[in-house]
């Protein structure tokens, strides 16, 4: 039995509310259990300078967490004066993941910045950021297409992410904070709507795992991603 | 007629929803028209070192704004590597204002950190932060008292804040972003529930104002503060 | 009786010595009692980039304090690696205040940077910086006009500033450091030579004040500003 | 045929020279083809403060690259004033990987810092850092044991890492820089001497991959790790 | 003939006014021609931590320059967020030079911080800082001795500094800014009151110099230092 | 007898190995006793902006030290977030020294960046950096000339540097770390292949020295530089 009382392959309830930020070109509030992330997508007319003249667009992401999103207050990164290594790692992952589902030539020389700000944290914030960030991105691109600025759809695939881990020798899907703290091995799978892999990050702290266990985790991930993609579709109506 | 179509002395609709952050000792989401600020209060067992042995507590505040809270995306302060002068000015104001309503001896040698994070901005974010921050602070102190950690109530007064300004020669209450941009003179009044002044910040950019105009603005502020204090009371039930 | 032994409405002796920095286009050393601030105005041929093509000029200010201007040595901000919130708040105030007395169109697309460096501090350094900074600015603009670079005088008004506060229930004018430390309420009035208000910043730390007290402080400020403007005129000959 | 002309499952020549830094408790220079990393392990008598009183030790890592280790000169991070997100990601990976092979209780309350500095870069620098860093760590621990400071061997397992990728539809082992730039999918496997997984990081930039491909990459990784562990053993004599 | 019209071995007029900063334990304003430096010495009861328990004291220095001390305005280091390499080099030199004249055991475990702030710059600011800084240090130490806190005089020697250079093949003493800009070779000699050397820094930019020229410069330095030490004595009465 | 057992005027063994970094236009590994510095020269097509249109080139240097180059581990400057004052002082010295041997007009409007990274430190790292940096520079310039990009040789002179000091009243050549720690007076001489002086930096910490001693040190320096220049010639073949 897992700490949360869920079955091994059970996801937490997912909710995705769109259009929650009035200024952003695309936005949503995604809730996965007790984790809540506010995602927005901002369109910028210029691509980063390294793409000048290439005809290619760019999608990038930034990640933050409110100081009291967690059980004990974290120091505000703006006050500390720098983003932690963890924050940078996460926002690089979100950006790479979203780009994997985008035809950058169809997007044209512009940039979309996806901001993912964690309002409440209970494990899986980076996965929720990817899944919700993709919805914000989809909505912003819809706006570009509705305005005729972009004609061929640059969004090629759904992109979603889910965490898995091994707890007491059992593979678990969608770990909450308590489970994540206990799991010797855990990580994230970023996948497309057609069940192809974009990013696999599996990591053991003070433990190791076998190829067979890796296989079980991938089975769980397939299942979780399908549920998340369904939630994305439902939210977009 | 003012840009928003409101009467000169009309406030925007106010809503204060409490208990929105599960981890914080006190929290609320305050909405003043299109402005939304998430406020939390975190209790820390230790006072800052300059108070060591004094028997006095401390209340401080931090302020932030999501990059896309505004019409065009602002750079994330954590990524820039420092808080702007504006941010620091605002968070110092919030802290001073809240402390004015607190008996620091009754609080004892501990610190309460009030975080005010702007989710959506449409003018008056620092005022909403003070008004909502006070509610979060009140709730956190309630918890200290319920637990018997603090016995005499350290909260002496309601504290709330409202903006006023002069637009086309007319004094306005509670400016939204469009009005604030147009007003030659504007500023903020922080007041107690008993209509005493805590902080007055009135500033003219490319203009000046008279003592008579200052008087009209104070009349408006009295009115606005009364409404805000009523909303605080309603939210706390 | 106030700590300094002065009458409630007495200013400290004021002295403004012009032309003290050989390289600056305008400069003065202002002394208000034990407070000494070295002010310089530097003309730059270019306005800040946000004004490009607008035909408007800009006036900005920077503020600093020598480490041993005060009773105990402060850490040097250049060594710490950033300006404190207080420093930024003050230099933003000085800049806004000086701009209120300037016709930015008459100035044309150039920038004047006013540096205010406190050599000795005994309360009221931001007010002395504004009053002295205006003299430096006036002298620099005189140079632009003498050279025919600017033809219509961009300086529309004298600008000066004075502090007021409430000590032991009495309103005081021009607080020195000892008085400022004791006063529950204190703040600054920035005004023009024609007694109009530019900026009012009144703040109570651990106290509150009434509208009637606010009125008394404004009476004192009127009186102080008149004296400061007279000193500016005398210094400019 | 792969760009380097090697067979798909061929590693580049590996050389590990130990004892190259006279001051370090353990050190080696590892060469994997054109990639050269200088690794040192420094023993510190104190564990980080979060472990105080726990009886547990810590292993951490720092990573750097000489400005001209690469084809075009990179800016020196010390001059820029911060470590890039990439650098932080890599050094966190190295630290986690090495800790997976360490019994932290046997190590006792002390810290070993492993520095990995890339003298020449031709792909796979993070993998070489892990493989070489482990050798430096092993030597430093040997010294602790020889001195009787540590009695039960805290090193539980060999730890080594290798990169894999998919190029033109083919799975490749141990990518050099040219191959890495061309591969749509690539990543790293960190494994123990007994072929268990510690960390899997597989990432597709502008592409996706299947579970079957993931399997082929893991086959290659098994093979590469065996070769690297043999090289570690040979170097340690 | 040198640019300034002075004879090759002529110093500029020197003036040292003591007691100019009311709060500092020792202070002076030193003027060497058009160069003006405000020097203060602040006594701190604690020595730096690396001296804890050693019985030895420390003397250190910080150096700054007002933005408009020079012909064109320099950016304020506090605003830039760091001290330049030049500033750090200078303040390290001042500290080392002053320590050379101090018996650190007689000083006891305390620190004296000498701040040198350039109000006006016309060449030779680091030399003026050393010469004036020594006077401030002497005055602060006098205060320690008068109070009986220190009983044996920790000041062993006068310390003063002068610049020399080679201009158009001729050795010059005490270069002003114009001369310094033209000289291919220039540098500084820090010496004691008994004509012994503390520090020699001679540097050729785009040129070289001979041992014979080095000799001539040392002859000039002897002469200049004697004059500076006489000025120090006169100032101290 | 000196700590190292060498004769007073004995240099440590010197070795200079060229071409050690495959990507750099010029490189060498210089060893002076136990000190090892990896030097590279990188050609950049653009000169710094302050030289735009001048027809002049630039040579600059950066210096770093691996954390464990020394007996106890130093904090990594990239992690600390800034270069120390010592590092900046050294890299400015290396740059000035190398420029003294270069005809910047012959070099043309381009920049050569010389990186000096200390792999092992045993005293004299800045001198080894200059001597080795010159070899890397020479090799890079050779490449420019071989390619016909530069036609007249911009390298006018050999540049090398050696340390000297006074230990127990005796002048010593080429101090190792132990000697340097004990010497009351020490410093560096940068000279040309024709025995002219470029830079003299002699410094006494807690001591002073005489002109006669300065003369002895210069005699030693002459001798050491001759040996270093011979080693440079031998390395270049």
């Amino acid at each position: 039995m897992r700490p949360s009382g869920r079955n091994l392959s059970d996801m937490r309830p997912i909710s995705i509310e769109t259009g929650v930020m009035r200024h952003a070109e695309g936005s949503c509030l995604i809730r996965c259990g007790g984790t809540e992330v506010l995602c927005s997508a901002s369109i910028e007319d210029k691509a980063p300078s390294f793409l000048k003249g290439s005809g290619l667009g760019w999608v990038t992401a930034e990640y933050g967490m409110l100081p009291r999103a967690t059980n004990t207050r974290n120091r505000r990164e703006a006050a500390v004066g720098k983003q932690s290594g963890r924050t940078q790692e996460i926002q690089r992952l979100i950006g790479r993941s979203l780009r994997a589902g985008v035809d950058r030539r169809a997007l044209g020389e512009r940039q979309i910045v996806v901001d993912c700000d964690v309002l409440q944290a209970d494990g899986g914030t980076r996965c929720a950021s990817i899944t919700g960030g993709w919805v914000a991105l989809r909505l912003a691109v819809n706006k570009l297409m509705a305005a005729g600025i972009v004609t061929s759809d640059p969004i090629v695939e759904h992109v979603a992410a889910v965490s898995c881990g091994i707890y007491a020798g059992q593979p678990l899907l969608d770990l909450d904070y308590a489970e994540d703290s206990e799991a010797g091995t855990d990580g994230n799978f970023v996948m497309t709507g057609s069940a192809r892999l974009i990013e696999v990050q599996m990591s053991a702290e003070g433990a190791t795992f076998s190829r067979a266990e890796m296989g079980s985790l991938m089975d769980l991930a397939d299942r979780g991603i399908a549920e998340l993609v369904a939630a994305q579709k439902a939210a977009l109506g």
Side-chain angles (χ1 to χ4, degrees), chain A:
Chain A
M1 195 56 107
R2 61 197 286 189
S4 63
R6 282 184 275 147
N7 289 325
L8 298 178
S9 60
D10 275 1
M11 297 282 288
R12 294 175 289 178
I14 307 157
S15 108
I16 303 176
E17 190 184 343
T18 60
V20 295
M21 297 188 77
R22 80 185 58 195
H23 299 297
E25 282 74 34
S27 70
C28 74
L29 176 64
I30 182 168
R31 289 190 184 85
C32 299
T35 288
E36 295 184 21
V37 185
L38 194 51
C39 305
S40 67
S42 299
I43 300 171
E44 298 180 354
D45 276 346
K46 277 202 326 193
S49 55
F50 66 85
L51 289 176
K52 202 164 178 180
S54 68
L56 299 172
W58 193 246
V59 174
T60 189
E62 286 188 9
Y63 171 93
M65 196 185 265
L66 297 197
R68 198 55 199 280
T70 45
N71 191 37
T72 53
R73 186 177 182 273
N74 291 298
R75 293 184 64 197
R76 188 178 288 269
E77 289 188 331
V80 172
K82 61 174 181 180
Q83 295 179 299
S84 69
R86 177 187 173 275
T87 292
Q88 291 185 64
E89 207 169 299
I90 292 175
Q91 64 192 12
R92 284 157 54 93
L93 168 65
I94 302 170
R96 275 198 315 273
S97 298
L98 295 178
R99 283 194 296 277
V102 168
D103 175 346
R104 288 165 51 211
R105 188 159 303 278
L107 179 56
E109 273 196 36
R110 55 184 53 81
Q111 176 167 257
I112 302 184
V113 182
V114 176
D115 284 291
C116 300
D117 285 273
V118 179
L119 304 187
Q120 310 250 19
D122 186 23
T125 63
R126 78 189 72 189
C127 291
S129 296
I130 291 168
T131 306
W134 184 86
V135 171
L137 175 65
R138 171 74 273 178
L139 290 165
V141 168
N142 287 353
K143 215 166 246 187
L144 281 175
M145 294 187 71
I149 296 167
V150 158
T151 48
S152 158
D153 190 357
I155 304 274
V156 189
E157 284 270 23
H158 277 253
V159 174
V162 74
S163 72
C164 297
I166 300 171
Y167 168 79
Q170 301 280 358
L172 303 189
L173 183 60
D174 187 27
L175 288 67
D176 61 27
Y177 178 75
E179 292 167 343
D180 184 79
S181 309
E182 299 285 323
T185 296
D186 71 274
N188 308 288
F189 290 85
V190 187
M191 295 176 68
T192 66
S194 52
R196 287 181 64 87
L197 294 156
I198 292 171
E199 186 108 18
V200 175
Q201 290 193 334
M202 200 51 52
S203 171
E205 181 85 36
T208 57
F209 55 105
S210 67
R211 278 187 65 167
E213 287 171 317
M214 185 76 184
S216 311
L217 295 172
M218 291 176 88
D219 290 340
L220 287 178
D222 274 349
R223 188 174 169 144
I225 294 292
E227 223 172 293
L228 290 163
V229 169
Q232 288 176 331
K233 287 183 177 160
L236 291 163

